[in-house]
Amino acid sequence: MSMKKIILRIVLIIIIVFVAYNAAWFAWSHIQYGKLTDGMEKAEFSNFITPRYICTDDDRYDYLVKYPDYLSFTGNMSVGLPSVNENPFTDALIIWPKINGKYELGALLYDDDGTGYSVYIDSEGNALSEEDKDVVSRHTEAIKDLLIKADGKWEID
């Protein structure tokens, strides 16, 4: 077999593997995240590769589903408290679905003076880091409320 044919076969195999991986990723992400978007509409900043869906419930809580970025397996969902006086900086829960069916949770928390915090929490709303316990304790009520809303929307419990 000539060197030209060997190189051509190698290139062809690489192209086939690349196309197959892309197709598998695209199908997986749309199946996995598509079931999370029931009752939601495409967000203004959505695109074909990385769709984003959004909705607001009757209580004015905002929900968002972001599909994984290109060839990534990490997307997220979020639920945010209703904004007050057009202030977009309200406490929010971020949920990262894992391939094994479990979730990683985080919260964006804002004090009255506008200071913001990003913290990881467990499914009960407790801080995972000792240094975040004080911040989380100040926002316990909001975190519990967001966990209830997220569980009602996506059954994350």
Side-chain angles (χ1 to χ4, degrees):
M1 189 179 282
S2 71
M3 186 58 98
K4 221 183 223 186
K5 284 187 178 183
I6 292 172
I7 292 173
L8 187 59
R9 282 187 179 188
I10 291 171
V11 169
L12 187 58
I13 289 170
I14 290 171
I15 290 171
I16 289 170
V17 168
F18 178 75
V19 169
Y21 186 80
N22 274 269
W25 169 83
F26 187 81
W28 173 85
S29 68
H30 281 71
I31 291 168
Q32 194 71 13
Y33 283 80
K35 61 187 174 192
L36 300 171
T37 62
D38 288 343
M40 302 177 84
E41 57 189 48
K42 272 198 172 179
E44 192 174 297
F45 43 90
S46 183
N47 64 58
F48 178 71
I49 299 293
T50 311
R52 291 169 174 84
Y53 287 81
I54 193 164
C55 74
T56 302
D57 70 10
D58 293 337
D59 296 325
R60 296 186 28 236
Y61 285 77
D62 293 321
Y63 298 85
L64 176 73
V65 173
K66 180 198 165 285
Y67 284 50
D69 288 326
Y70 180 62
L71 298 184
S72 168
F73 290 94
T74 304
N76 65 60
M77 301 117 68
S78 67
V79 57
L81 291 175
S83 57
V84 178
N85 299 325
E86 301 301 317
N87 179 5
F89 300 105
T90 62
D91 292 353
L93 179 69
I94 310 295
I95 306 148
W96 294 277
K98 297 299 180 188
I99 291 176
N100 63 7
K102 297 188 182 203
Y103 300 94
E104 190 172 313
L105 302 171
L108 301 175
L109 306 170
Y110 295 93
D111 285 338
D112 291 336
D113 66 0
T115 304
Y117 307 90
S118 296
V119 300
Y120 287 101
I121 59 174
D122 64 19
S123 61
E124 302 296 319
N126 302 307
L128 295 183
S129 169
E130 189 67 38
E131 65 191 36
D132 294 328
K133 286 187 176 185
D134 183 49
V135 172
V136 169
S137 71
R138 290 196 308 269
H139 295 269
T140 298
E141 187 177 318
I143 291 170
K144 299 286 186 199
D145 190 28
L146 292 167
L147 285 167
I148 289 168
K149 286 291 190 176
D151 188 48
K153 180 78 174 160
W154 297 297
E155 298 176 8
I156 64 166
D157 198 5

